[in-house]
Each structure stands twice: as structure tokens, then as C-alpha cells.
Amino acid sequence: MAIYIDSAEPEEVREALSLGFVKGVTTNPLLIARTGRKPEEVVAAISELWPDELLYQPFSLELERAREELERMRTIAGAILVPKIPATWEGFKLLVDLVRADWRCALTAVYSPSQALLAKEAGASYVIPYVNRATRQGIDGLELVAQISRTLQGSGVQVIAASLKSAEEALAAVASGAQHITVPWPVLRAMAEHPLSLEAVEEFARAAQSYKEGR
Ligand code: E4P
């Protein structure tokens, strides 16, 4: 099992990787656009932090332009760059093209087990179902993870559950069969902390203070 941080903010990525057990980074055009920086700058800043993998989604989906964009990003990031290709007709063509050229790829924005099955046939290394987005559209996102996990069982293609909006949802995605999860910064924090843990720590701190004052 690996945990990825879903972010294009180098400071968040730095802090997450400093934990030591966050393996990599996933990002997408929306997250990069929100930073106000060029994709090349974001990729350079993140790859300097040495994640094991940087799953990068190209801005262009047109075959030649996407290939050129990904080659450019690989020049910057090196072997950690893993293309993350959206599950569309054009996306599948791009995925096959990249796999033939020996890239390790992920199929992303997955909403059905049939897309996962085709990803396996196309040679993808990862399939990325969007849990919360699916649930918001009336598809049970956790059941989607379970169905995809069953579809891919024994194939070597790994499931990274994404679009996770709470610690509970992240945990449920793993319980539903996801090998890996990618979580945004607030969810990573929520997984690490609990209000009652903080309350207990404050109580201990107050006790330690009055102990010191009483000596
Ligand atoms: C994952 O790789 C995506 O970047 C992300 O999880 C998309 O989902 P969201 O926009 O609902 O967070």
C-alpha cells in the first residue's frame, strides 16, 4: 500500500514527503492552474523534492501534443514521471501509444469497471477511480472501487483511489480493495489527527505545566 499526495503545491508536497511514508505525488491540470505557475515550474519544484513517483496529467490530450508535453516533463523530472491519462477514447489511444514506447502509465478519471478492464488490456500500470466525484453523481464510489478491484484482481494493475474528501472515505476506499490512495493535504492531516487526540495532548501539557510550577 502506498499513500500519494494529490497536490501541485510544492510546500504541501515537501511537508507530506517529510513524513517519510508518503510515496509520491499525483497532480492534474486543475491543481496546476490553481497555483498560477507554469506546469514546467511545478514539475521542476516537485521533482526536486524526490518523490518516488510523480503522476502527471498532460494538459493536451491530442496524441502528438501530449507526447511532446510528456517528453518535456520527463526531461525535467526524469524517471519518476508517470503519465496519468484520462479515460476517454482519445485517452486510450494515447495510453497505448505511451505503453508501446515503454512508459509506465495510469488511467485516471475512471468511473466504470469496463474502463478498468480496457486499461488492463492497454497495458496500464495503475487505474485511478474517482470516489467522491462518482458518489456525488449517484454512482456509489466505494462500490466502484470494489468492482474495479475485482476486475483487476491478479492482473498486476494497481488501483489508486482518488477524489477522497475525508479520512473516513480514504479508509473506506482501502477497505473496498484499493491498493493505494491519493489524498489532498487537508485529508492527509485529517488522517493523522483527531480532535480528541489534540484534547488529550492539551490536558497532558496543562498537567506538565502545573507539575513544573509545583516543584
Ligand atoms: C487524482 O489523481 C485527481 O487529481 C483528484 O483526486 C481528482 O479528484 P477531485 O478533483 O475530486 O479531488
Side-chain angles (χ1 to χ4, degrees), residues 85-88 91-92 95 105-110 115-116 119 124 126-129:
I85 309 300
T88 63
F92 273 106
L95 179 71
C105 293
L107 186 77
T108 195
V110 171
Q115 291 175 317
Y126 298 112
V127 163
I128 307 182

Side-chain angles (χ1 to χ4, degrees), residues 65-81:
R65 292 173 66 180
R67 274 297 291 270
E68 191 272 322
E69 181 181 342
L70 289 165
E71 294 288 357
R72 203 166 64 243
M73 295 306 165
R74 186 158 65 174
T75 306
I76 298 169
I80 63 167
L81 196 91

